[in-house]
Short mmCIF file of all heavy atoms in Angstrom, two decimals:
data_model
loop_
_atom_site.label_atom_id
_atom_site.label_comp_id
_atom_site.label_asym_id
_atom_site.label_seq_id
_atom_site.Cartn_x
_atom_site.Cartn_y
_atom_site.Cartn_z
N SER A 33 151.62 280.15 135.28
CA SER A 33 151.48 278.92 134.50
C SER A 33 152.83 278.21 134.37
O SER A 33 152.94 277.01 134.63
CB SER A 33 150.91 279.24 133.13
OG SER A 33 150.86 278.07 132.34
N ASN A 34 153.87 278.96 133.99
CA ASN A 34 155.20 278.35 133.87
C ASN A 34 155.78 277.99 135.23
O ASN A 34 156.47 276.98 135.37
CB ASN A 34 156.15 279.27 133.11
CG ASN A 34 155.90 279.24 131.61
OD1 ASN A 34 155.43 278.24 131.07
ND2 ASN A 34 156.19 280.33 130.94
N PHE A 35 155.51 278.82 136.23
CA PHE A 35 155.96 278.52 137.60
C PHE A 35 155.37 277.19 138.06
O PHE A 35 156.08 276.31 138.53
CB PHE A 35 155.57 279.65 138.55
CG PHE A 35 155.77 279.32 140.00
CD1 PHE A 35 157.04 279.41 140.56
CD2 PHE A 35 154.71 278.92 140.80
CE1 PHE A 35 157.24 279.10 141.91
CE2 PHE A 35 154.90 278.61 142.14
CZ PHE A 35 156.17 278.70 142.70
N GLU A 36 154.05 277.05 137.92
CA GLU A 36 153.38 275.83 138.37
C GLU A 36 153.80 274.63 137.55
O GLU A 36 153.93 273.52 138.08
CB GLU A 36 151.87 276.02 138.35
CG GLU A 36 151.41 276.97 139.44
CD GLU A 36 149.93 277.31 139.38
OE1 GLU A 36 149.25 276.92 138.40
OE2 GLU A 36 149.46 277.97 140.32
N HIS A 37 154.05 274.83 136.26
CA HIS A 37 154.52 273.73 135.40
C HIS A 37 155.89 273.23 135.88
O HIS A 37 156.12 272.02 135.97
CB HIS A 37 154.58 274.20 133.94
CG HIS A 37 155.03 273.14 133.00
ND1 HIS A 37 154.22 272.09 132.62
CD2 HIS A 37 156.21 272.96 132.35
CE1 HIS A 37 154.88 271.30 131.79
NE2 HIS A 37 156.09 271.81 131.62
N LEU A 38 156.79 274.16 136.19
CA LEU A 38 158.12 273.80 136.69
C LEU A 38 158.02 273.08 138.03
O LEU A 38 158.63 272.03 138.25
CB LEU A 38 158.99 275.05 136.81
CG LEU A 38 160.39 274.85 137.38
CD1 LEU A 38 161.23 273.99 136.44
CD2 LEU A 38 161.06 276.20 137.60
N MET A 39 157.23 273.64 138.94
CA MET A 39 157.09 273.05 140.26
C MET A 39 156.42 271.68 140.19
O MET A 39 156.78 270.77 140.95
CB MET A 39 156.32 273.99 141.20
CG MET A 39 157.00 275.32 141.45
SD MET A 39 158.69 275.18 142.07
CE MET A 39 158.40 274.64 143.73
N LEU A 40 155.48 271.51 139.28
CA LEU A 40 154.82 270.21 139.10
C LEU A 40 155.85 269.17 138.67
O LEU A 40 155.78 268.01 139.10
CB LEU A 40 153.68 270.31 138.08
CG LEU A 40 152.93 269.01 137.79
CD1 LEU A 40 152.27 268.46 139.06
CD2 LEU A 40 151.90 269.24 136.69
N GLY A 41 156.81 269.57 137.85
CA GLY A 41 157.86 268.64 137.45
C GLY A 41 158.66 268.15 138.65
O GLY A 41 158.94 266.95 138.79
N TYR A 42 159.03 269.07 139.54
CA TYR A 42 159.75 268.68 140.76
C TYR A 42 158.87 267.79 141.64
O TYR A 42 159.35 266.82 142.23
CB TYR A 42 160.21 269.91 141.55
CG TYR A 42 161.29 270.71 140.87
CD1 TYR A 42 161.18 272.08 140.72
CD2 TYR A 42 162.45 270.09 140.37
CE1 TYR A 42 162.17 272.83 140.11
CE2 TYR A 42 163.44 270.83 139.76
CZ TYR A 42 163.30 272.20 139.63
OH TYR A 42 164.29 272.92 139.02
N LEU A 43 157.58 268.12 141.73
CA LEU A 43 156.66 267.32 142.54
C LEU A 43 156.53 265.90 141.99
O LEU A 43 156.59 264.93 142.74
CB LEU A 43 155.28 267.99 142.61
CG LEU A 43 154.22 267.27 143.43
CD1 LEU A 43 154.63 267.14 144.89
CD2 LEU A 43 152.88 267.99 143.31
N LYS A 44 156.39 265.79 140.66
CA LYS A 44 156.27 264.47 140.04
C LYS A 44 157.52 263.63 140.29
O LYS A 44 157.42 262.41 140.46
CB LYS A 44 156.03 264.61 138.54
CG LYS A 44 154.62 265.02 138.17
CD LYS A 44 154.49 265.11 136.66
CE LYS A 44 153.10 265.42 136.21
NZ LYS A 44 153.01 265.52 134.74
N LYS A 45 158.69 264.26 140.30
CA LYS A 45 159.92 263.52 140.57
C LYS A 45 160.04 263.15 142.04
O LYS A 45 160.65 262.15 142.39
CB LYS A 45 161.13 264.33 140.12
CG LYS A 45 161.23 264.44 138.60
CD LYS A 45 162.52 265.05 138.17
CE LYS A 45 163.59 264.00 138.30
NZ LYS A 45 164.84 264.33 137.66
N ALA A 46 159.43 263.94 142.91
CA ALA A 46 159.52 263.70 144.36
C ALA A 46 158.57 262.59 144.81
O ALA A 46 158.92 261.81 145.71
CB ALA A 46 159.20 264.99 145.12
#
Side-chain angles (χ1 to χ4, degrees):
S33 176
N34 283 332
F35 170 80
E36 290 174 353
H37 181 74
L38 177 65
M39 297 306 287
L40 179 61
Y42 292 130
L43 180 62
K44 284 180 176 179
K45 290 188 77 168

